[in-house]
């Protein structure tokens, strides 16, 4: 596992110290999803302004930024990318290469290749889930690798003092390792159990904890129509699945309809956006607990 040591090593060079970028102004950091915003805020504290500009009602995987949005991103001191095909807008706009950080560049060998599926969401337009699964952070060990890459980039660009970053990283590493250990313990009895997900987001989560997850293509948090419910009924019958993962909470009627099919409902936010009332760690831990509670013992 990658570690930041004191003194901090970045790209084979020892960084003996760092000064804050901009004596008068805080460093500006922009991220393409909430987990990276959360990790950056943990590492930088009050020493930088960390923004995640995607509106709450838009899927950040397929956001279409305005000219003003792009200008704001370009002005940041550090632009933090997820990699693995997440945030497709990044490939369509001009961003200063010197400011870009692909947090998953060092873990490409752990990517999951997916099938190509084209469909539409309520925010308009068709798109494909193709090539790679991109929700890396749902495996806390991959989230940890992203965090370590982010910490190294912060120090290399002198956005915060090396001692402060190293201290914050050590705390965040411990938190992610504890989250992973708790999830492994809580989900151990789900090995061999098939789950159905309303959307194909859980590849890395499933792999990390030895779960079998089959996915549909439902709109996040929406009431399924008759055809979708019929598809779900057939899928649950064929797979003998009894648990349905929702990436966002739907209307109560949706829970009632799926429960009538013999399925136990669990809302497991994918955390591309933040969830009201909880941090990344709190929301993830709560979702794991909810899943463990409904699973057959």
């Amino acid at each position: 596992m990658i570690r930041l040591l004191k003194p901090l090593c970045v790209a084979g060079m020892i960084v003996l110290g760092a000064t804050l970028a901009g004596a008068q102004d805080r460093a500006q950091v922009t991220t393409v999803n909430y987990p990276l915003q959360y990790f950056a805020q943990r590492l930088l504290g009050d020493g930088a302004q960390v923004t995640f500009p995607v509106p709450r009602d838009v899927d950040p995987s397929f956001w279409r930024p305005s000219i003003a949005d792009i200008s704001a991103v370009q002005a940041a001191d550090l632009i933090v990318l997820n990699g693995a095909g997440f945030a497709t807008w990044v490939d369509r706009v001009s961003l200063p290469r010197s400011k870009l950080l692909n947090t998953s560049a060092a873990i490409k060998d752990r990517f999951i290749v997916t099938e190509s599926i084209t469909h539409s969401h309520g925010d308009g337009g068709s798109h494909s889930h193709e090539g790679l699964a991109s929700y890396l952070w749902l495996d806390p060990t991959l989230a940890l690798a992203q965090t370590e890459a982010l910490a190294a980039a912060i120090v290399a660009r002198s956005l915060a003092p090396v001692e402060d970053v190293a201290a914050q990283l050590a705390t965040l590493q411990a938190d992610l390792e504890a989250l992973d250990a708790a999830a492994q313990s809580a989900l151990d009895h789900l090995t061999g159990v098939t789950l159905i997900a309303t959307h194909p987001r859980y590849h890395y989560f499933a792999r990390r904890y030895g779960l079998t997850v089959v996915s549909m293509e439902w709109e996040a948090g929406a009431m399924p129509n008759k055809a979708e419910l019929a598809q779900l009924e057939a899928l649950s019958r064929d797979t003998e699945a009894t648990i349905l993962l929702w990436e966002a909470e739907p209307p109560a009627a949706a829970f009632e309809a799926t429960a009538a099919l013999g399925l136990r409902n669990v809302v497991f936010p994918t955390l591309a956006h933040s969830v009201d009332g909880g941090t990344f760690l709190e929301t993830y831990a709560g979702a794991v607990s909810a899943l463990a509670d409904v699973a057959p013992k």
Side-chain angles (χ1 to χ4, degrees):
M1 184 172 290
I2 303 170
R3 295 290 182 186
L4 281 176
L5 304 176
K6 297 181 181 179
L8 183 68
C9 294
V10 179
M13 298 179 63
I14 298 179
V15 180
L16 299 177
T19 59
L20 285 172
Q24 302 300 322
D25 300 322
R26 293 189 299 167
Q28 303 296 308
V29 176
T30 295
T31 73
V32 297
N33 58 39
Y34 165 64
L36 294 176
Q37 180 190 34
Y38 174 77
F39 301 149
Q41 287 175 328
R42 287 282 304 265
L43 293 170
L44 289 161
D46 295 330
Q49 181 178 0
V50 183
T51 59
F52 166 44
V54 182
R56 289 293 295 270
D57 61 345
V58 176
D59 184 339
S61 301
F62 307 105
W63 180 47
R64 297 175 180 176
S66 67
I67 293 176
D69 293 325
I70 295 170
S71 295
V73 172
Q74 291 171 332
D77 297 299
L78 180 63
I79 304 167
V80 185
L81 309 180
N82 183 76
F86 186 90
T88 55
W89 64 269
V90 170
D91 298 324
R92 298 193 298 269
V93 303
S94 177
L95 297 174
R97 294 179 61 86
S98 62
K99 297 181 178 182
L100 296 178
L101 167 66
N102 180 352
T103 58
S104 62
I107 52 175
K108 288 182 178 180
D109 60 334
R110 299 169 70 181
F111 287 173
I112 295 174
V113 178
T114 64
E115 296 180 2
S116 177
I117 303 172
T118 301
H119 65 112
S120 297
H121 279 304
D123 52 2
S126 296
H127 56 260
S128 297
H129 296 279
E130 60 183 351
L132 299 171
S134 58
Y135 280 49
L136 301 166
W137 59 88
L138 291 180
D139 175 346
T141 66
L142 299 185
L144 179 54
Q146 291 183 285
T147 299
E148 291 167 336
L150 178 54
I154 289 170
V155 171
R157 290 165 172 79
S158 298
L159 301 183
V162 59
E163 296 85 1
D164 293 349
V165 176
Q168 295 299 326
L169 176 61
T171 301
L172 186 50
Q173 284 174 325
D175 287 344
L176 288 170
E177 289 168 354
L179 180 68
D180 179 52
Q184 285 184 313
S185 177
L187 302 175
D188 181 65
H189 63 290
L190 269 76
T191 301
V193 175
T194 299
L195 294 76
I196 299 174
T198 60
H199 212 69
R201 305 292 201 199
Y202 302 94
H203 304 81
Y204 296 103
F205 174 73
R207 182 179 69 182
R208 177 59 183 166
Y209 301 113
L211 309 178
T212 300
V213 179
V214 294
S215 300
M216 298 179 297
E217 290 286 344
W218 289 10
E219 183 69 24
M223 179 70 196
N225 58 38
K226 290 183 179 180
E228 289 170 331
L229 288 172
Q231 176 199 23
L232 174 62
E233 183 176 18
L235 189 58
S236 63
R237 182 177 58 250
D238 293 343
T239 62
E240 299 183 347
T242 60
I243 298 173
L244 180 61
L245 297 179
W246 298 78
E247 62 176 322
E249 186 163 353
F255 279 163
E256 294 170 3
T258 54
L261 299 177
L263 290 161
R264 298 171 221 179
N265 293 288
V266 177
V267 177
F268 200 115
T270 53
L271 287 164
H273 278 291
S274 62
V275 175
D276 291 339
T279 65
F280 174 87
L281 294 173
E282 293 166 344
T283 302
Y284 193 108
V288 166
S289 179
L291 176 55
D293 287 345
V294 303
K297 301 297 190 290

